[in-house]
Amino acid sequence: MGRPLPGASASEIGIDRGDREPIQQQIARQLRALVLSGRLKPQTRLCSTRALAEELGVARATVVDAYEQLASEGYLETRSGSGTRVAAELPESLLTAPARERPETAPPMRQAREPARPFRPGLVDWDHFPHEEWGRLLGRYWRNPPVALLEHNDPFGCLPLREAIASHLHEWRGIGCEAGQVIVTAGGLDAFDLIGRAVLEPGDKVWFEEPGYSTARRIFSMGGVHAVPIAVDDEGLSVAQGRTRAAAARAAFVTPARQYPTGVTMPLARRLELLDWAAAAGAIVIEDDYDSEYRYVGRPLPALMSLDERARVIYTGTFSKVFSPIVRLGYTVVPKSLVARFRAARLSHGAPPSLVAQPALAEFMRQGAFAIHIRRMRRIYAARRRALIEALSPGDGRLFHIDASPAGLVLLLRLPKGRSDAEAVELLARHGIAVQPLSGHYAGRGRRQGLLLSFAGFSEADLRKAARKMIEVLS
Ligand SMILES: Cc1ncc(COP(=O)(O)O)c(C=O)c1O
């Protein structure tokens, strides 16, 4: 049923609880349509989120999310003290586009809607993605590519994006790098491939976390390096064991913000120990910082690279987790002393990724929409993680132990002694539940057993349902 929206004459918002479209999206869609139709004029003040939430009978956070989404798309402006208003200047393309091209007439983009099985890895939320703004920016650069893009095909990628990444890393990860040190890649995996080509030789020994990200280990190994598994304890990669097993290694590959897959954060002392080893051994530390923006409690520790005064760290990041896995963009940041080597490696092998998505993403970051998106998703993912942990708690201690690091998009359940994770994975798959075995992330023996649940792409309701099913199946 429709409800009047105070502050907006003759406007109405209605929600349908039976609809598959999430309520926040329903609110955002209708508000957007009111703005586009001119019924909500520029600078019209909207009623408070609290009032609208009360009136619609929904959680206030739902309305806050809808307002924030529209603010990130440029439809609304929020000023502290004076509430939320319709933007004084609406995004240009919305006002000039012919009616049939207006975004609200296009069907919203949807992730493949065959129901994905929970907890399939790699999915992120799709319903809260700022589709309109992103589509608008992509459209703009497709139709009117800046001449500079066509003329200067820099193998390191498009300069505005490299600048935006440098500034993001400064703000979010404490890294003081220049755009000249940033190389845009087709995701983290492409960055690993490039690093291998630029600084490693066949036969070089490289420390890898055990358990660790097996795809990275595979990519580096394809270049002929010799992977040395080094145990992960409750402070991350054991530098002491690394020194014993291969003190003269050429590099170490680590995930210090949130060890993949155990979720352990490497504390400061261990970070310094690792950097000291690298400086003494003339080795390189490859820091894979794949999802550190999603930390739900406290402040994240700055990146390892931010502590590095001796130019030992090569940093990699990806837009797959914080933005979308299908944009296929990531980056690596290299010490100034290595820039020329990386340029030579990129020129001799490989090229920068899509020149349409790069400037669009640069603009998206520059105008602040990226930071808003991360903050909003952090709240949503935190709620999903909480809902999942709560729903799993009847099995905690009995069927598994919930190893809940307050970060990331994956939850680890450790299995009791004697229980095989491979068997549990198979059993759950027969009941429509897709989990990953922890043991699959080990290269050597002594594999611990556990289940990895990737929760980001599923609603709280779906997560609760899947958790109940898991408990039933494992019991
Ligand atoms: C631990 C870790 N590092 C890096 C990546 C990089 O992924 P992409 O190539 O999608 O950027 C991933 C992706 O799943 C990951 O899980």
Side-chain angles (χ1 to χ4, degrees):
M1 205 191 69
R3 304 263 175 173
L5 178 68
S9 58
S11 52
E12 295 208 322
I13 291 206
I15 55 171
D16 177 358
R17 288 177 198 282
D19 199 305
R20 278 176 63 93
E21 184 183 25
I23 291 174
Q24 179 221 316
Q25 294 297 322
Q26 294 185 32
I27 298 171
R29 175 175 48 74
Q30 293 175 67
L31 274 174
R32 193 185 295 113
L34 288 169
V35 173
L36 285 168
S37 69
R39 283 167 68 193
L40 277 179
K41 300 260 184 288
Q43 290 297 284
T44 305
R45 185 173 174 162
L46 299 192
C47 64
S48 71
T49 50
R50 187 184 306 278
L52 184 56
E54 268 173 22
E55 220 180 308
L56 295 173
V58 301
R60 182 159 167 239
T62 308
V63 178
V64 171
D65 283 347
Y67 277 25
E68 274 185 10
Q69 177 175 340
L70 292 176
S72 74
E73 292 170 7
Y75 293 88
L76 302 182
E77 291 169 354
T78 308
R79 274 188 228 128
S80 60
S82 76
T84 303
R85 293 173 186 273
V86 178
E89 285 184 38
L90 288 172
E92 221 175 293
S93 58
L94 299 180
L95 299 174
T96 52
R100 66 189 156 76
E101 286 182 8
R102 285 186 179 171
E104 90 279 13
T105 60
M109 186 180 169
R110 290 273 181 261
Q111 199 149 352
R113 277 303 183 187
E114 78 277 12
R117 302 187 332 155
F119 306 87
R120 223 190 80 190
L123 296 184
V124 299
D125 179 88
W126 215 240
D127 291 328
H128 299 85
F129 188 90
H131 293 290
E132 265 78 17
E133 180 58 5
W134 178 240
R136 189 178 74 78
L137 291 171
L138 275 180
R140 187 207 287 176
Y141 287 102
W142 181 256
R143 284 175 208 216
N144 291 312
V147 178
L149 256 193
L150 304 168
E151 282 180 349
H152 308 291
N153 197 350
D154 191 316
F156 277 10
C158 133
L159 186 61
L161 180 58
R162 294 163 64 204
E163 285 167 346
I165 291 169
S167 126
H168 174 80
L169 292 177
H170 180 71
E171 190 182 332
W172 288 74
R173 308 299 299 125
I175 297 177
C177 63
E178 291 167 11
Q181 295 168 260
V182 178
I183 306 162
V184 180
T185 63
L189 305 186
D190 183 36
F192 303 154
D193 180 68
L194 176 63
I195 294 167
R197 289 174 199 285
V199 294
L200 298 174
E201 302 279 341
D204 279 350
K205 287 187 176 164
V206 180
W207 296 357
F208 279 93
E209 295 164 329
E210 173 82 339
Y213 186 37
S214 49
T215 313
R217 192 169 54 220
R218 202 182 63 236
I219 289 177
F220 283 106
S221 300
M222 276 185 336
V225 307
H226 176 62
V228 185
I230 305 293
V232 167
D233 59 24
D234 55 12
E235 300 197 334
L237 178 129
S238 163
V239 178
Q241 190 182 90
R243 288 181 192 274
T244 316
R245 293 229 167 128
R250 178 84 186 91
F253 178 90
V254 284
T255 47
R258 206 185 100 79
Q259 203 274 330
Y260 188 85
T262 64
V264 171
T265 299
M266 188 184 280
L268 186 62
R270 181 67 62 88
R271 288 172 186 232
L272 296 174
E273 191 188 355
L274 179 60
L275 292 176
D276 282 348
W277 162 75
I284 284 159
V285 178
I286 303 160
E287 175 177 23
D288 176 17
D289 201 34
Y290 58 102
D291 73 355
S292 60
E293 284 90 344
Y294 292 134
R295 184 161 198 94
Y296 310 119
V297 178
R299 283 182 68 77
L301 267 182
L304 182 64
M305 189 180 219
S306 73
L307 298 171
D308 175 27
E309 287 166 353
R310 292 164 285 189
R312 302 320 312 167
V313 177
I314 296 175
Y315 176 94
T316 71
T318 175
F319 289 100
S320 290
K321 317 281 178 189
V322 287
F323 190 62
S324 160
I326 62 171
V327 76
R328 290 307 312 151
L329 287 175
Y331 42 93
T332 182
V333 183
V334 306
K336 285 183 184 157
S337 54
L338 291 177
V339 167
R341 272 173 89 158
F342 272 81
R343 194 165 280 277
R346 196 52 152 178
L347 278 170
S348 69
H349 201 103
S354 168
L355 293 175
V356 177
Q358 286 188 60
L361 186 54
E363 180 61 18
F364 190 79
M365 294 174 87
R366 204 192 52 74
Q367 69 189 21
F370 185 60
I372 291 173
H373 179 62
I374 296 174
R375 291 201 178 92
R376 180 194 309 139
M377 294 321 300
R378 193 159 54 185
R379 266 208 324 273
I380 290 167
Y381 291 150
R384 288 182 180 179
R385 178 179 159 280
R386 257 194 322 270
L388 177 60
I389 290 176
E390 221 174 270
L392 286 169
S393 64
D396 194 19
R398 181 168 59 93
L399 303 171
F400 40 72
H401 168 69
I402 303 176
D403 198 332
S405 77
L409 308 176
V410 177
L411 191 70
L412 169 61
L413 306 183
R414 293 196 181 269
L415 292 180
K417 277 213 163 57
R419 181 134 205 185
S420 143
D421 57 10
E423 276 171 30
V425 168
E426 232 187 275
L427 181 66
L428 288 163
R430 272 186 253 134
H431 291 83
I433 294 179
V435 295
Q436 303 292 305
L438 174 64
S439 63
H441 292 79
Y442 286 79
R445 298 222 186 101
R447 302 175 177 220
R448 303 199 41 194
Q449 308 290 303
L451 305 174
L452 293 159
L453 280 55
S454 181
F455 60 81
F458 304 92
S459 70
E460 288 174 42
D462 287 346
L463 291 172
R464 284 196 195 95
K465 201 166 131 200
R468 283 196 295 270
K469 185 89 200 166
M470 261 189 90
I471 291 177
E472 184 192 312
V473 172
L474 292 178
S475 287

